[in-house]
Amino acid sequence: MSTATTDLLQDARIAVLGYGSQGRAHALNLHESGLDVVVGAREGGPSWKRAQEDGLKVATPADAVKDADLVAVLTPDMTQPKLYEEAIAPNIKPGAALLFAHGFNVHFGRIAPRDDIDVNLVAPKGPGALVRSEYQRGRGVPCLVAVAQDATGQAEAKARAYAAGIGGARAMLIQTDFKEETETDLFGEQAVLCGGASELVLKGFETLTEAGYQPEIAYYEVMHELKLIVDLFYEGGLAKMLQFVSETAQYGDYTRGPRIVDADTKARMKQVLTEIQDGTFAREWTAEYDAGLPNYKKFKQADLEHPIEKVGAQLRARMAWLHKDKQAAAAAGEPMKKAG
């Protein structure tokens, strides 16, 4: 456990810009750690109203920044450059700290902070809901900590104090830099966690249904049961997964897994990583966003219209544990009919 404390920020004002999943968790945790927090949000908007209902001070982003000693930027990546130019750069005072939860915009030069401010990063390794719930349990989620610019000589200390305020220091603080955090985060999302896992599931579903198996059974085998394996990974790594699956499953893992994800797959992963490292992905994503997201919308709609989503919605509707308030209705439902 880290020895970091919030002492350095006890007399500071912290502006949290954005009140989504991470923003709300950070703001509430900091507030309950005894720190002076103001939320920057669009006046009268949903985030403004929710922050007020949560008992926090709220101001427009520009007004929140003006008196802040630390400004935490927790809005979506693509909105941050405009936010910086319009609300932060003209208002942040010299010697203040500008803190991010993801290094994308600083690392790829989409935001060039003034040289009279600290620029640091605190990235919890978990979603906002977990950051909040662990804090409420007296625990915390491990955080990555980094410094891109140290104007005051206290940039890292400020980041560690902030991490303590959101509960991260109760667990673990891992020192990194903006480059490592940004590039590994993007790679994980693209090659394994989102892109890799979702494509593996879809191709498995298509393989089974095209071979004539029922889509309901295919769904259970390649998507639903994935949670069981991921939970074991999460709790105890490969060792726990191998402990709890059958010997038959283990042998299939050892002999067939490398035929699915092989050396060619790894080579393509390396190419994806290269495109992250050299800025190709950042330029492509920025251009896509600036063009109004035409390809993004097309890709997203294709996923939503995939047959696995139709059968999945039907099956999940019968999973009472996912809908506790509808448990009685689900229990009284008719048995699923065989497909076809």
Side-chain angles (χ1 to χ4, degrees):
M1 181 179 295
S2 171
T3 58
T5 70
T6 62
D7 290 352
L8 187 60
L9 298 178
Q10 282 301 320
D11 297 321
R13 166 159 287 198
I14 300 173
V16 174
L17 306 186
Y19 205 65
S21 175
Q22 287 287 346
R24 181 171 186 266
H26 288 218
L28 288 173
N29 291 5
L30 292 165
H31 175 70
E32 292 173 17
S33 291
L35 301 177
D36 182 12
V37 177
V38 58
V39 172
R42 180 172 59 84
E43 187 169 4
S47 293
W48 178 288
K49 294 176 181 177
R50 190 176 190 194
Q52 283 186 324
E53 291 169 357
D54 287 337
L56 296 172
K57 290 179 287 190
V58 190
T60 64
D63 286 340
V65 169
K66 285 177 182 176
D67 297 322
D69 300 288
L70 186 151
V71 177
V73 184
L74 300 175
T75 60
D77 288 336
M78 291 296 105
T79 69
Q80 290 180 11
K82 183 178 180 181
L83 179 67
Y84 178 78
E85 291 299 326
E86 295 182 354
I88 300 173
N91 297 299
I92 191 169
K93 61 188 182 182
L98 183 62
L99 182 143
F100 296 85
H102 180 39
F104 185 93
N105 286 301
V106 172
H107 177 56
F108 290 115
R110 300 183 73 243
I111 292 177
R114 291 192 340 231
D115 59 11
D116 62 347
I117 59 175
D118 294 332
V119 182
N120 46 29
L121 175 145
V122 173
K125 300 314 294 175
L130 186 66
V131 173
R132 179 64 181 148
S133 63
E134 284 298 282
Y135 179 92
Q136 291 175 307
R137 293 185 177 99
R139 303 187 301 232
V141 173
C143 293
L144 304 185
V145 176
V147 173
Q149 184 168 285
D150 188 2
T152 67
Q154 292 186 308
E156 182 179 336
K158 291 176 185 177
R160 289 179 174 272
Y162 182 96
I166 64 172
R170 298 172 178 173
M172 179 191 301
L173 302 184
I174 304 173
Q175 192 72 31
T176 184
D177 55 44
F178 274 58
K179 178 181 188 296
E180 183 175 55
E181 185 279 331
T182 301
E183 294 176 357
T184 57
D185 185 80
L186 292 175
F187 177 80
E189 292 169 351
Q190 295 173 22
V192 180
L193 305 177
C194 301
S198 60
E199 284 302 313
L200 191 65
V201 166
L202 293 179
K203 296 302 184 288
F205 179 85
E206 292 167 1
T207 298
L208 288 175
T209 55
E210 288 167 8
Y213 299 105
Q214 295 181 64
E216 292 84 0
I217 293 175
Y219 176 89
Y220 274 114
E221 293 302 329
V222 303
M223 179 176 276
H224 178 82
E225 293 189 13
L226 183 62
K227 181 184 186 304
L228 307 179
I229 301 303
V230 171
D231 282 351
L232 292 172
F233 284 157
Y234 185 80
E235 294 166 7
L238 293 173
K240 186 161 185 177
M241 184 274 287
L242 294 172
Q243 178 184 353
F244 282 88
V245 301
S246 69
E247 291 178 338
T248 302
Q250 290 182 47
Y251 185 74
D253 172 339
Y254 301 143
T255 61
R256 269 57 178 180
R259 290 168 55 182
I260 303 300
V261 181
D262 58 11
D264 288 339
T265 307
K266 186 174 179 180
R268 290 190 294 272
M269 284 184 169
K270 289 183 176 180
Q271 182 58 41
V272 166
L273 179 57
T274 297
E275 292 173 3
I276 292 168
Q277 292 170 327
D278 67 16
T280 298
F281 172 77
R283 291 189 294 271
E284 177 185 324
W285 173 221
T286 300
E288 173 71 14
Y289 186 86
D290 291 344
L293 303 173
N295 294 303
Y296 169 93
K297 292 174 182 176
K298 179 180 65 176
F299 298 147
K300 186 171 185 177
Q301 192 59 35
D303 267 2
L304 294 176
E305 293 175 355
H306 193 282
I308 199 171
E309 283 298 282
K310 181 178 180 180
V311 68
Q314 294 173 345
L315 292 172
R316 290 190 298 272
R318 303 300 182 96
M319 299 177 191
W321 59 92
L322 297 180
H323 313 277
K324 293 180 181 179
D325 56 337
K326 300 179 181 179
Q327 188 167 358
E334 293 294 323
M336 290 293 292
K337 295 181 180 180
K338 183 176 179 179

